[in-house]
Amino acid sequence: MKHLVVATRNKGKIVEINALLTGLVDQVSCAADFTDFPETIEDGTTFEENALKKAREAASFTGFPALADDSGLVVDCLNGDPGVFSARYAGEGAGDAANNARLLAECRTVPDDRRQAAFVCVLAYVTPEGDEQLFAGTVTGRILCAARGEGGFGYDPLFLVDGFERSMAELTLLEKNKVSHRAQAFEKFREYLAGIKRDAV
Ligand code: IMP
């Protein structure tokens, strides 16, 4: 694929997505590369709705195929919160530190065996011609009682990845991009593009 617009300003996501798109796309642009790129109001109740809304606005604004990632943390003992509100769990405009502090506070009295959670990522791929595709990925783990690690972004320091003795923030970028919710969704996107290429031959 020649040119893909990634509809995000989240620096943590951009680092991971650039690595995940290696070899797949000749030129990757993101929101910051355009003047007046639309700020999508994420008022959907699902990751799918928000991802589609972001990708549709980006494709129609730029005239290029667009990919949007809507993702978040789903915590069992909090009835699925923060979910689609992950970016603003501690309030509108809240940063990672405040969101993590709220998550720790909400889980403070929850015992170890009830701290299951999952990161979810939904990718929406929308072309200016109106083709729309969704790809989802999930990784399960547990909410830690204190932050561990310096890597990644968002809730990574509080998420112990199933099958690892490390938090998501203790994984290298390479390791995270093998196991994460985002990596799994991108694997499906990669397979989809490969299928289109095969059909075109
Ligand atoms: P979005 O920009 O509306 O998709 O919100 C994503 C939010 O979910 C981020 O701001 C983080 O708080 C959280 N999140 C999504 N993916 C990750 C991840 O890979 N690690 C840590 N937090 C994540």
Side-chain angles (χ1 to χ4, degrees):
M1 170 177 293
K2 279 204 170 60
H3 191 177
L4 180 70
V5 176
V6 178
T8 187
R9 294 180 191 278
N10 181 317
K11 294 196 174 87
K13 281 187 189 176
I14 290 170
V15 170
E16 292 175 19
I17 290 173
N18 273 330
L20 289 164
L21 287 173
T22 303
L24 205 62
V25 178
D26 295 340
Q27 188 189 346
V28 180
S29 306
C30 63
D33 296 322
F34 296 86
T35 310
D36 297 330
F37 195 90
E39 200 65 60
T40 303
I41 296 166
E42 297 187 35
D43 52 3
T45 56
T46 63
F47 295 112
E48 285 80 2
E49 278 179 60
N50 284 335
L52 268 175
K53 194 172 178 195
K54 288 189 273 191
R56 281 176 186 150
E57 287 188 12
S60 114
F61 176 75
T62 64
F64 293 113
L67 190 70
D69 163 320
D70 202 66
S71 46
L73 181 67
V74 174
V75 181
D76 291 6
C77 64
L78 301 178
N79 298 316
D81 280 349
V84 291
F85 301 106
S86 291
R88 47 201 149 115
Y89 192 36
E92 210 57 56
D96 290 345
N99 288 332
N100 284 353
R102 174 157 185 210
L103 179 64
L104 278 179
E106 297 286 345
C107 294
R108 197 172 46 85
T109 57
V110 179
D112 271 357
D113 61 352
R114 293 194 47 237
R115 299 178 75 95
Q116 293 89 347
F119 272 127
V120 175
C121 172
V122 174
L123 293 178
Y125 173 67
V126 173
T127 69
E129 294 76 32
D131 294 337
E132 299 190 339
Q133 301 291 332
L134 290 169
F135 311 93
T138 301
V139 60
T140 57
R142 277 190 298 123
I143 302 302
L144 289 160
C145 295
R148 278 171 48 177
E150 303 294 326
F153 68 98
Y155 299 97
D156 281 348
L158 295 181
F159 187 89
L160 191 72
V161 188
D162 278 350
F164 286 76
E165 284 309 305
R166 287 179 286 164
S167 79
M168 197 69 110
E170 291 174 315
L171 303 186
T172 63
L173 174 63
L174 210 66
E175 288 172 324
K176 183 175 175 186
N177 270 353
K178 280 196 184 126
V179 300
S180 80
H181 49 318
R182 187 161 296 108
Q184 294 182 43
F186 268 83
E187 187 51 38
K188 293 177 188 167
F189 177 54
R190 186 177 279 274
E191 283 165 14
Y192 170 74
L193 289 184
I196 290 185
K197 217 169 156 185
R198 262 198 313 272
D199 292 347
V201 173

